[in-house]
Amino acid sequence: DSYITAELQPGDILNYHQGGLQRTVLRKLRRGEFRCDAELDMHGMTSVEARQALVAFLNQARASNFRCVRIIHGKGLRSSNDGPVLKGLVNNWLQQREEVLAFHSARPADGGTGAVYVLLKSNNG
């Protein structure tokens, strides 16, 4: 995965959404207007630990019928010269998850480009 993460810089904004989502929903997500029901902080985790934590966290969030969660992946400032590792991995992992409708880097007050808001599908639709 290193060739994918190398392009990503600490200040880059992560932004993804499945087709068919309303612009107003995406705008609310980008502005941090959804209440975050839970948060996962990955600081200090290895990529293996982070992957396991992310899967468990998303499964629990889905089971709890959470709508929006925040994942703190960090900006990768302590990573090697290859740029932020977890940020790139989280970007890839979230896009592979069927329950993830959209995600966007957080507002500065919520971690900025070191965190993402994640909008999840509801269990009943």
Side-chain angles (χ1 to χ4, degrees):
D1 282 341
S2 61
Y3 67 94
I4 296 170
T5 56
E7 311 152 10
L8 211 51
Q9 296 305 311
D12 289 352
I13 288 176
L14 299 183
N15 182 20
Y16 162 85
H17 63 88
Q18 291 185 10
L21 269 184
Q22 296 173 331
R23 269 206 192 104
T24 52
V25 172
L26 296 172
R27 189 178 311 120
K28 277 183 70 173
L29 184 66
R30 190 176 65 241
R31 292 178 179 171
E33 294 174 5
F34 286 101
R35 184 187 84 238
C36 284
D37 297 308
E39 123 182 340
L40 171 65
D41 188 341
M42 296 180 157
H43 280 113
M45 291 185 189
T46 66
S47 58
V48 171
E49 292 166 340
R51 174 100 198 211
Q52 292 169 340
L54 180 76
V55 168
F57 178 71
L58 290 176
N59 288 343
Q60 180 61 48
R62 187 85 191 264
S64 303
N65 210 17
F66 290 160
R67 179 83 169 121
C68 185
V69 296
R70 183 172 42 160
I71 297 173
I72 302 166
H73 47 70
K75 293 181 180 166
L77 300 178
R78 286 188 290 275
S79 296
S80 67
N81 294 338
D82 293 336
V85 175
L86 287 182
K87 181 174 184 171
L89 291 172
V90 166
N91 185 35
N92 294 341
W93 293 337
L94 288 176
Q95 289 183 46
Q96 295 167 12
R97 298 290 298 208
E98 167 274 324
E99 72 270 32
V100 172
L101 291 175
F103 60 83
H104 196 284
S105 289
R107 295 176 314 139
D110 290 332
T113 56
V116 287
Y117 304 125
V118 183
L119 196 60
L120 301 170
K121 283 182 182 167
S122 67
N123 290 336
N124 47 6

